[in-house]
């Protein structure tokens, strides 16, 4: 099995992106893994600090590793939005393939100083781990928001991206390019879509010369995602769309079998609901025709 950096490099050369999907239970893992295997494309599952606390950092690392080994399939594991060095070290020790060290809320000088130290410390624990840094403002919380914050002041510039990557030696950069965590209520029904600054992505790619991640991909216009990938985005994060599908699938499963108490008889409808979203996103990220217009 080739390593995660190999698959990232291959995706970049092929003009496609690796899909990153947040998981917080084994039902979500099952759905993401199932969709990726059906399409035969590599996939990245990620857990924020809160999600890791719920599932167990070492436990999810062992589970994902067992899937990769048993099925000889490229499923990789990311420690999403890690805000402290202690949590980063914990993920590095557990064998995560990548770690998002996110101090984007701090002033850029402080973000640079602490991220540089974190890169050195985490790679000392696990030299093969990829470390991602984040700059700019894309809001917080993968949930449904009533109103959109003004993120225009926190957009990343190519100069800032270049300086950050060179100073910190991160492997991957997450810039602010019009993306936002979570979704507006109007996005859930598809009435509105997030729009991205494609020229800004292209400028950042040229300047930073690093792998780029798009956080907050849920609810983004499909054509903008295609253009963003063509402009240099290598990983796209989807979380809120899966959470909405998880909830809808669970409600459907309970309504269909109101007297059922056996979890494995209720939960397949959740797997199906999430799998459909993951499958359609993976097709889009890999330049294939999208069967379900998500």
């Amino acid at each position: 099995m080739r390593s995660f950096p190999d698959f990232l490099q291959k995706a970049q050369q092929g003009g496609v992106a690796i899909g990153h999907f947040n998981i917080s239970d084994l039902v979500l893992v099952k759905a993401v893994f199932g969709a990726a295997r059906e399409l035969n494309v590599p996939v990245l599952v990620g857990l924020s600090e809160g999600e890791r606390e719920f599932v167990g950092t070492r436990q999810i690392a062992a589970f994902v590793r067992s899937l990769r080994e048993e099925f000889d399939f490229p499923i990789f594991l990311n420690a999403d939005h890690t805000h402290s060095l202690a949590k980063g070290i914990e993920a590095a020790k557990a064998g995560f393939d990548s770690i998002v060290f996110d101090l984007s809320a701090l002033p850029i000088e402080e973000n640079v100083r602490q991220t540089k130290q974190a890169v050195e410390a985490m790679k000392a624990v696990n030299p093969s781990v990829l470390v991602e840094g984040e700059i700019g403002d894309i809001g917080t919380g993968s949930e449904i928001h009533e109103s959109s914050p003004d993120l225009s002041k926190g957009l990343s510039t190519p100069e800032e991206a270049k300086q950050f990557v060179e100073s910190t030696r991160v492997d991957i950069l997450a810039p602010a390019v019009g993306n936002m965590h979570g979704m507006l209520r109007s996005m859930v029904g598809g009435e509105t879509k997030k729009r991205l600054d494609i020229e800004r992505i292209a400028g950042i790619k040229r300047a930073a010369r690093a792998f780029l991640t798009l956080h907050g991909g849920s609810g983004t216009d499909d054509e903008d995602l295609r253009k963003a990938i063509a402009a240099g985005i290598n990983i796209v994060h989807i979380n809120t769309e899966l959470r909405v599908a998880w909830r809808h699938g669970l409600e459907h499963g309970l309504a269909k079998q109101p007297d059922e108490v056996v979890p494995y008889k209720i939960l397949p409808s959740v797997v199906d609901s999430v799998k459909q979203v993951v499958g359609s996103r993976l097709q889009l990220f890999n330049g294939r025709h999208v069967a379900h217009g998500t």
Side-chain angles (χ1 to χ4, degrees):
M1 171 65 65
R2 284 173 302 152
S3 66
F4 179 48
D6 291 338
F7 280 97
L8 256 183
Q9 194 64 51
K10 192 180 175 203
Q12 178 157 278
Q13 288 164 352
V16 299
I18 292 179
H20 173 291
F21 302 93
N22 282 71
I23 53 114
S24 48
D25 67 8
L26 297 185
V27 171
L28 284 156
V29 182
K30 200 174 169 67
V32 173
F33 187 59
R37 282 191 77 206
E38 280 180 15
L39 293 167
N40 198 26
V41 293
V43 73
L44 189 55
V45 289
L47 300 91
S48 66
E49 285 186 2
E51 288 163 340
R52 296 197 305 269
E53 201 173 309
F54 182 71
V55 177
T57 303
R58 286 174 61 187
Q59 288 71 32
I60 195 63
F63 192 85
V64 170
R65 190 161 49 246
S66 74
L67 288 175
R68 186 160 65 202
E69 288 169 1
E70 181 180 343
F71 295 93
D72 192 28
F73 191 85
I75 178 171
F76 299 102
L77 185 60
N78 175 55
D80 202 10
H81 296 293
T82 303
H83 302 290
S84 74
L85 183 53
K87 293 284 185 192
I89 296 289
E90 182 183 45
K93 282 182 175 170
F96 277 60
D97 299 289
S98 58
I99 297 167
V100 179
F101 193 72
D102 177 11
L103 297 183
S104 57
L106 295 178
I108 186 73
E109 299 79 14
E110 195 55 30
N111 185 357
V112 166
R113 190 182 71 78
Q114 290 193 39
T115 301
K116 181 177 189 291
Q117 289 176 344
V119 169
E120 290 168 2
M122 291 187 288
K123 284 184 180 280
V125 172
N126 178 4
S128 64
V129 75
L130 296 188
V131 182
E132 177 176 321
E134 189 165 326
I135 54 173
D137 180 14
I138 58 173
T140 58
S142 296
E143 51 208 28
I144 309 302
H145 303 295
E146 293 301 332
S147 60
S148 173
D150 179 13
L151 301 173
S152 59
K153 297 178 191 63
L155 292 175
S156 307
T157 65
E159 299 73 33
E160 187 181 53
K162 183 177 193 292
Q163 186 232 332
F164 184 84
V165 170
E166 287 177 357
S167 302
T168 60
R169 319 259 330 235
V170 291
D171 304 288
I172 307 167
L173 177 69
V177 290
N179 43 331
M180 177 192 92
H181 278 129
M183 290 168 75
L184 299 179
R185 203 163 289 288
S186 57
M187 291 171 183
V188 178
E191 298 93 62
T192 61
K193 297 280 185 187
K194 293 179 196 171
R195 304 308 302 250
L196 304 172
D197 188 335
I198 306 301
E199 285 304 310
R200 190 178 294 272
I201 293 169
I204 288 171
K205 188 70 174 186
R206 282 193 299 270
R209 300 171 69 86
F211 293 122
L212 296 184
T213 295
L214 182 78
H215 283 264
S218 290
T220 304
D221 178 73
D222 280 6
E223 196 50 41
D224 275 22
L225 284 171
R226 285 190 193 95
K227 288 177 181 169
I229 293 165
I233 291 290
N234 308 106
I235 302 168
V236 182
H237 280 227
I238 302 287
N239 189 353
T240 314
E241 286 180 15
L242 300 201
R243 290 177 168 184
V244 170
W246 181 94
R247 168 104 195 204
H248 287 166
L250 183 60
E251 287 170 346
H252 177 70
L254 292 168
K256 199 170 65 176
Q257 306 173 84
D259 300 320
E260 186 56 79
V261 295
V262 180
Y264 64 77
K265 292 184 179 177
I266 297 166
L267 293 171
S269 62
V270 185
V271 175
D272 291 344
S273 178
V274 174
K275 200 170 159 188
Q276 193 168 322
V277 174
V278 174
S280 104
R281 282 308 188 201
L282 284 174
Q283 288 180 74
L284 177 67
F285 302 159
N286 285 278
R288 301 185 189 179
H289 173 71
V290 179
H292 317 286
T294 302

